[in-house]
Amino acid sequence: MTFAEKLQALRQLMFAQQVDAYIITAADPHISEYLPEHYKAIPFACGFTGSAGTLVITQDFAGLWTDSRYFTQAEAQLIGTGYELVKLKVPHTPEYISWLSKVLPGGAKVGFNHKLITVALAQEMQYSLVQCAIEITDVDLISTVWLDRVGLPVENAFLIDEKAAGLSISAKISQLRAALNINKADYHFISSLDDIAWLFNLRGKDVAYNPVTLSFALITPTAVKLFIDKQKLSRTDVHTLNQQGVTLYPYEEVANELKNLPEDIQIFIDPKRTCFGLFECLPKSAKIIFGINPSTHLKSLKNDTEISHIRKAMLHDGVALTRFFKWMEEHLGREEITEWSAAEKLVAFRAEQASFAGLSFNTIAGYNANGALPHYSVTAESNQEIVGNGLFLVDSGGQYLYGTTDITRVMPIGNCSAIQSDDYTLVLKGLIEGSKLIFPEGTKGYQIDSICRKPLWEHAINFGHGTGHGIGFFLNVHEGPQNISPANVDVAFKTGMVTSIEPGIYRPGKHGVRIENLVLCVPKNNSEFGEFLTFETLTLCFIDTTIINKTLLAPDQIAWLNQYNQTVFKKLQPMLTEEEAKWLEMKCQPV
């Protein structure tokens, strides 16, 4: 079936079931960012492959709501599908709700799969649409049309050793129970896969790039229940879980278990990480306590063991990146190198590292105009040869035993223009300002965000994505609760948080610049004014200085850059060959 034929089939089902508008979300029952193939309904329905978007279908309109990161990509992928791009004015907001309230008459019915939408979003729709006398209903139409849909993943899962995790499963459960007690909750339901992975020292391969396995968890006053396909685990791991006080249940039994909970419970639920369909299974008289999963806060504070492993992962990643950029420099012009082949070569260098466990996300390798797409994904049609003059942006990351990396570098190719040099330098200034920041305890991400953007704002330049996100420990490359963005997220930075800093400049059709390091929040000093924190840069890869416009850098910024590159050389040199070390030493020469 073509995309247009699929759309027509969905409309016929809508007419038959008296559904006036049908919503398709980019989600699974765990509200994951990265989805198993089974749940990739939006690419199936319209061909759009971006990670953020919502389809809304009526009998006379079909639209994809997405944000500025994907405007160019969506416009190209939606041609001939019957869907139109609707540009979000505010990223990550459900602006289609107000649109539906305006175009649908009273008495209309809006349908969506309740297991593929968050509690928070479903309640927002209930509040907004019911006021307009519009009904919402639980309906799954996509499964009827999606005849060749793949099944749920069945990859094996495994436990990481307590010595690698730094805490036992029982110790983490004790921490979680203490947090629940503070929140006056006796039950807790967890859907989010990375929270479950952290709590049970559990890893898997059910979702590309994220080492997680499909599962749910229910904490009661007397039991810890893990809903998972038991066949995925070894007998040894099952025994370990049992020894740590965890009882295993079939994955499919979670809904019935929730329906049979006592009526008078006080249960803690994360409304943004729990699907509405399972939330509806809870007893109607239960007292619901909403908030961010306590495990989300706990896992964001990396313990000493995790930090030690993360530093090792950065060393391995730094070696792979050094070899990649050396290879690029030596082979450009001598053989054809494309965005695709360069990305594949980088994977190969990472795979040489003994602790490599896979990529942490799909590599973004964009030359010139393609680099101006923040979430660019190379395809056979878009693949460019890296030749001539310009900027090659590489945003990539690896999963290591045990640690997760995420880094962006820009490699100048041939002769670069003055504007490319200025853009590169301004982005670097933003990175440096954030990296060397000293800030009081209690500082939030939106405060740090403005400091990173200031060098760009002074030149009337801005970018449409956040400046930083949390990073997991051999887990998801994007995790919370902290971030660095303009959004008013009420989460303070604390010692032990690992976060990216990644400002950028994007000139559509021309070039893009983004430079990204991962940083660890550490104590700085105490004074009569309180506790102060700062960042320790974890990422180990030289920052190219050949196209810097030094007139735009202050002396302290130059000093930071020189010190950083010297640290990179010092730490990586023992792991490199003599030839590689000499090459890196030249790249790390002071400005």
Side-chain angles (χ1 to χ4, degrees), residues 178-481:
L180 292 176
N181 186 55
I182 292 172
N183 285 282
K184 295 181 170 39
D186 48 7
Y187 285 73
H188 179 35
F189 178 60
I190 312 174
S191 297
S192 42
L193 300 182
D194 58 332
D195 283 299
I196 294 169
W198 176 84
L199 183 61
F200 297 102
N201 288 339
L202 176 67
R203 300 296 187 270
K205 299 180 180 179
D206 282 350
V207 182
Y209 311 120
N210 299 330
V212 296
T213 190
L214 297 186
S215 50
F216 296 97
L218 178 65
I219 314 300
T220 79
T222 59
V224 177
K225 302 180 180 184
L226 177 62
F227 299 84
I228 187 173
D229 181 356
K230 192 174 179 179
Q231 301 302 314
K232 293 181 177 183
L233 295 165
S234 69
R235 289 183 179 180
T236 301
D237 286 345
V238 170
H239 177 72
T240 299
L241 286 164
N242 292 158
Q243 288 291 101
Q244 298 284 316
V246 181
T247 305
L248 302 184
Y249 291 78
Y251 177 75
E252 299 80 10
E253 287 188 11
V254 63
N256 285 334
E257 189 72 19
L258 295 177
K259 289 176 182 177
N260 291 319
L261 289 175
E263 292 289 333
D264 59 346
I265 63 171
Q266 298 183 96
I267 186 166
F268 192 103
I269 294 288
D270 188 332
K272 294 184 178 179
R273 310 276 325 257
T274 305
C275 74
F276 189 55
L278 291 177
F279 174 77
E280 290 180 304
C281 294
L282 295 174
K284 300 304 179 186
S285 59
K287 179 181 179 182
I288 310 298
I289 301 166
F290 287 126
I292 297 173
N293 284 329
S295 50
T296 300
H297 289 284
L298 293 169
K299 72 178 166 58
S300 72
L301 305 177
K302 309 303 186 270
N303 61 52
D304 290 343
T305 301
E306 291 173 320
I307 292 169
S308 175
H309 283 297
I310 290 169
R311 290 194 175 108
K312 291 177 183 177
M314 295 298 171
L315 287 168
H316 288 295
D317 212 47
V319 169
L321 288 157
T322 298
R323 290 173 177 163
F324 168 71
F325 285 115
K326 180 176 183 291
W327 175 84
M328 284 284 295
E329 186 174 280
E330 293 173 349
H331 288 77
L332 277 171
R334 299 181 182 180
E335 64 180 84
E336 182 182 79
I337 299 177
T338 67
E339 295 167 335
W340 191 289
S341 65
E344 290 296 305
K345 192 68 176 180
L346 179 52
V347 174
F349 280 121
R350 280 196 168 106
E352 292 175 357
Q353 302 301 309
S355 60
F356 183 65
L359 296 179
S360 58
F361 58 96
N362 188 33
T363 300
I364 299 170
Y367 184 49
N368 282 341
N370 287 341
L373 305 173
H375 281 218
Y376 172 67
S377 181
V378 60
T379 64
E381 295 75 26
S382 69
N383 189 25
Q384 284 194 52
E385 182 179 1
I386 303 170
V387 65
N389 303 313
L391 299 177
F392 178 47
L393 184 152
V394 183
D395 186 346
S396 66
Q399 296 284 5
Y400 293 86
L401 302 173
Y402 298 90
T404 302
T405 70
D406 182 3
I407 175 175
T408 309
R409 290 293 184 268
V410 174
M411 181 179 183
I413 308 296
N415 297 315
C416 294
S417 67
I419 192 170
Q420 288 171 335
S421 173
D422 288 352
D423 285 353
Y424 182 91
T425 308
L426 292 175
V427 169
L428 178 57
K429 281 170 68 76
L431 172 77
I432 294 172
E433 287 303 291
S435 301
K436 68 184 185 67
L437 184 65
I438 299 171
F439 51 94
E441 196 173 48
T443 297
K444 312 291 176 60
Y446 59 86
Q447 295 169 300
I448 299 172
D449 180 81
S450 63
I451 291 169
C452 297
R453 290 176 191 263
K454 183 175 180 290
L456 282 67
W457 287 348
E458 289 173 343
H459 292 261
I461 298 172
N462 200 11
F463 53 94
H465 58 76
T467 302
H469 54 83
I471 305 284
F473 167 68
F474 184 35
L475 261 179
N476 294 4
V477 74
H478 296 151
E479 75 167 30

